[in-house]
Amino acid sequence: MTQLQPQTHQGNLLDKMSQESIGVQMTTGIGAACVDCDFDLQGLDAAAPCPECGSSIAYASQPNMLAAAPPEFLKSLGSGLSYILNGILLYVGFVIGSAVFGLLYGMQNALDPESQLPLAATIVVSLVSYGLLGMIGVGVYRFTKPEPGTPIPDGSIPRATARFGGIAFIAANIFSGLAGLGVDPSDPNGLGVWYLVSFGLGLMALVALAVTFFGQVLYVRRLAPRVSNRRIYKLAKQRLWQVPLLSTVGIVLLGLGPLIALVLYWNLLHYLRKDIKAITKRFGTTPASTN
């Protein structure tokens, strides 16, 4: 886990985060052990590094550090991130598998035009797709769960934005699939209505995806100081422009831009999950002392 190394000059990261209302404030009179080496930090200045290992004392000294958060909140953050990360991996695998299956079926259909895809196969593919999207949706919902006794600032707006966008994205995709049920391909009017509805829901899903992305990344940036991780904080700021750029302009890169953007987004959440796992392992079900 990358530790935030305190600096003495005025432009150090913790001071900067505090100026940006991230919520980190240096204090003294710590009564906790170092989270990395168990050195007794009683009475040491929070702005100083641990005398034993050099890690940031602020990690265990701040009341709004995740190490001092309620265990159920840490569990919700960790499980939510796991649902999102694993759901993305499974969904990418599903898309690749579907593409391969579609290619093979197209080759077979070229040889035998009379062959048709069984209805059961279509239903299974749809259910798997919605199931994986639902898994990611549950992850977003758990990841954005409000913290009991929420500290200030708590990132309420980014958190709520991420949750709303995630729910809207899942709903738009589900309704888009349901809209196609019962459509008669031989009915031009019915097809026209279906195309119009599908376009509207697709546009809604795209906007909702952008909303939940920006909300999640801003929320991650809010959480970064609470795990004392400089890397996550800097990466979150970079992802705010890298992912949108790669997802749009990056399409010209042999179509690999969106995939690269997804990898960058996945890695950002992965780094945060690693730190949350380390905190949970270190403190178990007992929050770090902040007295």
Side-chain angles (χ1 to χ4, degrees):
M1 180 172 60
T2 304
Q3 293 295 328
L4 180 66
Q5 298 300 324
Q7 303 172 26
T8 57
H9 60 79
Q10 217 170 14
N12 70 71
L13 183 64
L14 285 179
D15 285 344
K16 181 180 179 182
M17 289 177 174
S18 181
Q19 292 167 7
E20 294 184 5
S21 298
I22 300 298
V24 175
Q25 299 176 350
M26 304 307 290
T27 62
T28 57
I30 304 161
C34 176
V35 295
D36 289 325
C37 68
D38 287 325
F39 186 84
D40 185 6
L41 304 176
Q42 178 66 44
L44 297 181
D45 189 338
C50 171
E52 183 71 17
C53 67
S55 296
S56 171
I57 290 180
Y59 185 91
S61 67
Q62 302 305 309
N64 62 343
M65 290 288 117
L66 283 183
E72 62 271 19
F73 178 65
L74 287 175
K75 182 178 179 181
S76 180
L77 284 177
S79 63
L81 288 170
S82 292
Y83 275 117
I84 295 173
L85 293 171
N86 293 330
I88 290 174
L89 290 178
L90 291 173
Y91 197 81
V92 169
F94 167 75
V95 170
I96 294 175
S98 297
V100 172
F101 176 79
L103 179 62
L104 295 176
Y105 176 73
M107 295 171 60
Q108 178 185 353
N109 188 256
L111 298 175
D112 182 11
E114 298 297 326
S115 64
Q116 294 184 353
L117 186 66
L119 178 61
T122 303
I123 294 176
V124 169
V125 169
S126 298
L127 290 177
V128 172
S129 175
Y130 294 141
L132 292 176
L133 286 175
M135 178 180 179
I136 297 174
V138 170
V140 173
Y141 187 83
R142 290 189 61 81
F143 175 57
T144 56
K145 179 181 178 181
E147 179 179 356
T150 303
I152 299 176
D154 68 323
S156 294
I157 294 179
R159 179 185 58 74
T161 300
R163 172 172 284 200
F164 172 78
I167 294 174
F169 175 73
I170 301 300
N173 278 277
I174 292 177
F175 284 130
S176 179
L178 294 177
L181 297 178
V183 175
D184 186 358
S186 62
D187 181 9
N189 293 329
L191 281 176
V193 173
W194 178 69
Y195 286 139
L196 184 61
V197 172
S198 296
F199 175 79
L201 289 172
L203 185 61
M204 174 184 168
L206 185 62
V207 172
L209 181 61
V211 169
T212 191
F213 163 74
F214 284 108
Q216 288 180 50
V217 175
L218 289 172
Y219 187 45
V220 169
R221 192 175 72 169
R222 288 273 185 162
L223 292 174
R226 301 185 65 188
V227 293
S228 229
N229 194 319
R230 178 197 300 268
R231 184 184 191 185
I232 293 177
Y233 181 79
K234 293 177 65 177
L235 287 179
K237 294 184 68 175
Q238 295 171 2
R239 297 298 186 262
L240 287 172
W241 64 267
Q242 289 174 340
V243 171
L245 184 65
L246 286 168
S247 299
T248 52
V249 180
I251 293 179
V252 300
L253 301 175
L254 301 177
L256 295 177
L259 179 59
I260 297 174
L262 182 62
V263 171
L264 294 178
Y265 163 72
W266 192 94
N267 281 338
L268 175 65
L269 299 186
H270 173 64
Y271 293 140
L272 179 60
R273 181 178 64 168
K274 285 179 62 177
D275 279 1
I276 291 176
K277 280 186 174 181
I279 293 172
T280 304
K281 182 179 179 180
R282 172 65 178 82
F283 294 107
T285 58
T286 304
S289 172
T290 58
N291 295 323

